[in-house]
Amino acid sequence: MESGPAIFAGTVFALFGAGLLTWTTTRLRHGRPVAHGVSPVASATLATVAGVVALALGAWCLTRV
């Protein structure tokens, strides 16, 4: 019973992190801004860090099953 929420949370975090990293990479390769009105380097860095943290949280949740 307790593994259900961990599996759900881990999957959500992993999908969000992978999606965010994919989206950020695609935006950077096409030369488009990651966020409007913000420094391109700062927005790309923050999005990348958030994606990696989400993937790490997803992996951590899934190892607790």
Side-chain angles (χ1 to χ4, degrees):
M1 291 205 121
E2 296 169 358
S3 64
I7 292 170
F8 177 76
T11 303
V12 169
F13 277 125
L15 286 174
F16 175 75
L20 184 60
L21 288 175
T22 302
W23 179 79
T24 303
T25 303
T26 303
R27 296 291 288 186
L28 291 175
R29 284 189 180 169
H30 287 101
R32 295 186 175 173
V34 176
H36 294 288
V38 183
S39 166
V41 174
S43 62
T45 302
L46 184 61
T48 302
V49 168
V52 169
V53 168
L55 279 176
L57 279 172
W60 181 78
C61 287
L62 290 173
T63 59
R64 300 292 174 193
V65 172

